[in-house]
Amino acid sequence: MEEREISKAVIKRLPRYYRYLGELMENGVERISSGELSSRMSVTASQIRQDLNNFGGFGQQGYGYNVKYLYEEIGKILGLDKKHNMIIIGGGNLGQALANYVDFEKRGFYIKGIFDVNPVLKGLSVRGIPIHMLDDLESFIRDEQIQIAALTLPKSKAEEMTALLVKYGIKAIWNFAHIDLDVPSDVLVENVHLSESLMQLSYNITRYEKEHPRS
Amino acid sequence: MEEREISKAVIKRLPRYYRYLGELMENGVERISSGELSSRMSVTASQIRQDLNNFGGFGQQGYGYNVKYLYEEIGKILGLDKKHNMIIIGGGNLGQALANYVDFEKRGFYIKGIFDVNPVLKGLSVRGIPIHMLDDLESFIRDEQIQIAALTLPKSKAEEMTALLVKYGIKAIWNFAHIDLDVPSDVLVENVHLSESLMQLSYNITRYEKEHPRS
DNA sequence: TAGATTGTTAATCGATTAACAATC
DNA sequence: TAGATTGTTAATCGATTAACAATC
């Protein structure tokens, strides 16, 4: 069976389709055409159909797409029908912000624990999620079958923590540290580089001001 | 003067170049060739030269690029040589995490205030940054010349806050709410959709497991 | 000068859009 | 059946890579 590689650009758009379909569902919309979705999302209808047909024919000629069905199918493609056990490495504000975000669980991401080096945090918990010290890390990853580690640490500590996580068998790292992690090819990394995002905004502000000088 | 439009893909790479050049500088490296940078960053040398030449010829044949000079020039392109006054809308964990991140100031982003509706937070401050109630928002944006608002609110409140911010003359929104904001064309938006980032990671895990079934 | 490496043009590759036959 | 809209192929557009003359 010939497996065609799906491009990153397509994968990046899937969660947005998923979000819009979820909203349509909440509003009781049962079916939608690529044309209608196109105008709501400001992408071309052609792109929507092209994207979806990477994974299968989810629509029906003359009818369009069943919203609930398409929502669920995209959910499966994204792996949201499976349980993913997560830990958060770093109990600071960002780590706590992630721990407090309840919607992750609705998507199948279960935050099982938070880890920190600061002994002051020992025994505390965030929204019922206990904060552990690093000594427990290895057994916790094994026993709780943790797949994903969210790395919310200063970059100075991120590298050694990554080495540890890899050693303990973590499958995927959601990296918030401002550094490119060095991991073996069987460990997946998704970066959230906040300062780079802010710099992009800054670039756009700068360019806009150049093009529209104030009188 | 013919202004060529710079593609989004290029802009997205600039902060990463900036980060690597900053690290090279810290390590005392004075010059670097596109080839050497290429192998460190895992991008092609051709792409580096092509990207940079969108903005000007920063290098020198037979020599390469002066690290400090290139770092500063990319900083200027990104607008990091200018002061940007920011506020954070939403005093929860995520808002506080941003407020605590001191490196933003090094890049010219000054967080002047945090705004929330919760009266419990009134009068408190985070790292010396005061938390205000919404009544002060209009005058604060005007008097402190706020350009950027970081929106760290639940999506239910994000829309009305956006309308308010636009009305009060904000120039740019750094949006952390899981929603596409509707703003006039002179207001810039940069999105950080955390749950979409996590879904991309989930997709990659799912695909990896399919391609590498455990025996 | 010879060697190195850029800046830039040309070639290739991939992604997006357009078009339309298939079909519900 | 006629109308609507998909799935899919072909055309276009843009971004990346390769190649090399210019030049330090």
Side-chain angles (χ1 to χ4, degrees):
Chain A
M1 189 176 62
E2 170 79 12
E3 282 283 330
R4 227 158 30 70
E5 187 71 21
I6 309 293
S7 86
K8 267 193 177 180
V10 174
I11 305 312
K12 231 181 135 167
R13 286 192 291 268
L14 287 181
R16 189 156 175 264
Y17 292 139
Y18 188 76
R19 174 156 54 87
Y20 272 83
L21 289 164
E23 281 170 15
L24 287 168
M25 253 173 64
E26 278 176 23
N27 296 331
V29 178
E30 275 179 21
R31 52 177 268 199
I32 194 152
S33 68
S34 58
E36 169 68 11
L37 192 57
S38 151
S39 67
R40 286 180 189 247
M41 295 187 64
S42 306
V43 295
T44 64
S46 202
Q47 182 164 76
I48 292 173
R49 296 202 298 278
Q50 196 75 275
D51 282 353
L52 296 177
N53 278 92
N54 280 302
F55 303 98
F58 301 122
Q60 201 165 76
Q61 284 96 332
Y63 172 89
Y65 299 87
N66 178 287
V67 172
K68 184 157 183 289
Y69 174 69
L70 185 55
Y71 177 82
E72 282 166 359
E73 288 302 311
I74 294 180
K76 283 182 203 165
I77 294 165
L78 291 170
L80 307 182
D81 57 331
K82 304 262 171 57
K83 248 183 104 162
H84 300 281
N85 292 327
M86 261 175 87
I87 50 175
I88 294 169
I89 311 290
N93 285 115
L94 185 52
Q96 293 195 23
L98 296 181
N100 273 310
Y101 191 61
V102 291
D103 276 14
F104 291 146
E105 268 176 33
K106 286 201 300 195
R107 308 277 182 259
F109 303 99
Y110 291 83
I111 302 172
K112 295 289 193 173
I114 302 169
F115 286 79
D116 205 294
V117 287
N118 187 349
V120 169
L121 297 172
K122 189 167 183 174
L124 298 181
S125 70
V126 177
R127 198 171 56 85
I129 303 164
I131 303 185
H132 299 259
M133 295 296 103
L134 283 184
D135 338 357
D136 300 344
L137 187 58
E138 182 167 19
S139 58
F140 196 92
I141 289 177
R142 187 189 344 104
D143 298 346
E144 301 281 338
Q145 302 185 56
I146 304 298
Q147 279 191 317
I148 305 173
L151 210 57
T152 63
L153 289 170
K155 84 173 175 186
S156 56
K157 290 178 192 161
E159 276 184 304
E160 52 172 324
M161 270 309 309
T162 299
L164 223 49
L165 289 165
V166 167
K167 191 175 151 200
Y168 296 160
I170 210 81
K171 295 275 180 293
I173 296 177
W174 195 20
N175 175 41
F176 288 78
H178 304 138
I179 193 175
D180 292 335
L181 300 178
D182 190 24
V183 296
S185 66
D186 61 339
V187 175
L188 302 165
V189 175
E190 173 76 24
N191 292 305
V192 179
H193 288 319
L194 294 183
S195 59
E196 301 191 2
S197 163
L198 186 54
M199 288 183 202
Q200 287 174 61
L201 185 58
S202 173
Y203 171 84
N204 286 319
I205 294 171
T206 307
R207 192 202 47 181
Y208 186 87
E209 288 184 344
K210 244 178 224 145
E211 287 171 6
H212 303 81
R214 275 171 302 168
S215 50
Chain B
M1 191 178 64
E2 170 78 13
E3 280 284 330
R4 227 157 31 68
E5 188 71 21
I6 310 292
S7 86
K8 268 193 176 179
V10 174
I11 304 311
K12 233 183 133 166
R13 285 192 291 267
L14 287 181
R16 189 156 175 266
Y17 293 139
Y18 189 75
R19 175 156 55 87
Y20 272 82
L21 289 164
E23 281 171 15
L24 286 169
M25 252 172 67
E26 278 176 21
N27 295 331
V29 178
E30 275 179 22
R31 50 177 270 200
I32 194 153
S33 68
S34 59
E36 169 67 11
L37 193 56
S38 151
S39 68
R40 286 179 189 248
M41 296 186 63
S42 307
V43 296
T44 64
S46 202
Q47 181 163 76
I48 292 173
R49 295 202 300 277
Q50 196 75 274
D51 281 353
L52 296 177
N53 278 93
N54 280 302
F55 303 99
F58 301 122
Q60 200 165 78
Q61 282 95 333
Y63 172 88
Y65 299 88
N66 178 287
V67 172
K68 185 158 182 288
Y69 174 69
L70 185 56
Y71 177 81
E72 282 166 0
E73 288 302 310
I74 294 180
K76 283 182 203 165
I77 293 165
L78 291 169
L80 307 181
D81 56 332
K82 303 263 172 56
K83 246 183 106 163
H84 299 282
N85 291 327
M86 262 176 84
I87 50 176
I88 294 169
I89 312 289
N93 285 114
L94 184 52
Q96 294 195 23
L98 297 180
N100 272 310
Y101 191 59
V102 291
D103 276 13
F104 291 146
E105 269 176 32
K106 285 200 300 196
R107 308 276 182 259
F109 303 99
Y110 291 83
I111 302 172
K112 295 289 192 172
I114 301 169
F115 286 79
D116 205 294
V117 288
N118 187 349
V120 169
L121 297 172
K122 189 168 184 173
L124 298 180
S125 69
V126 177
R127 198 170 57 85
I129 303 164
I131 304 184
H132 299 259
M133 296 295 105
L134 283 183
D135 338 356
D136 301 343
L137 186 58
E138 181 167 21
S139 59
F140 196 93
I141 290 177
R142 188 191 342 105
D143 298 346
E144 301 281 338
Q145 302 185 57
I146 305 298
Q147 279 191 318
I148 306 173
L151 210 58
T152 63
L153 289 169
K155 83 173 176 187
S156 56
K157 290 178 192 161
E159 277 184 304
E160 51 172 326
M161 268 311 308
T162 299
L164 224 48
L165 288 165
V166 167
K167 192 176 150 201
Y168 297 160
I170 209 83
K171 296 276 179 291
I173 296 176
W174 195 21
N175 176 40
F176 288 78
H178 304 138
I179 193 174
D180 293 335
L181 300 179
D182 190 24
V183 297
S185 65
D186 60 341
V187 175
L188 302 165
V189 175
E190 173 76 24
N191 292 305
V192 179
H193 288 319
L194 294 183
S195 58
E196 300 191 2
S197 164
L198 186 54
M199 288 183 202
Q200 286 175 61
L201 185 58
S202 173
Y203 170 85
N204 285 319
I205 293 171
T206 308
R207 192 203 46 182
Y208 186 88
E209 288 184 344
K210 243 177 226 145
E211 287 170 6
H212 302 82
R214 276 170 303 168
S215 51

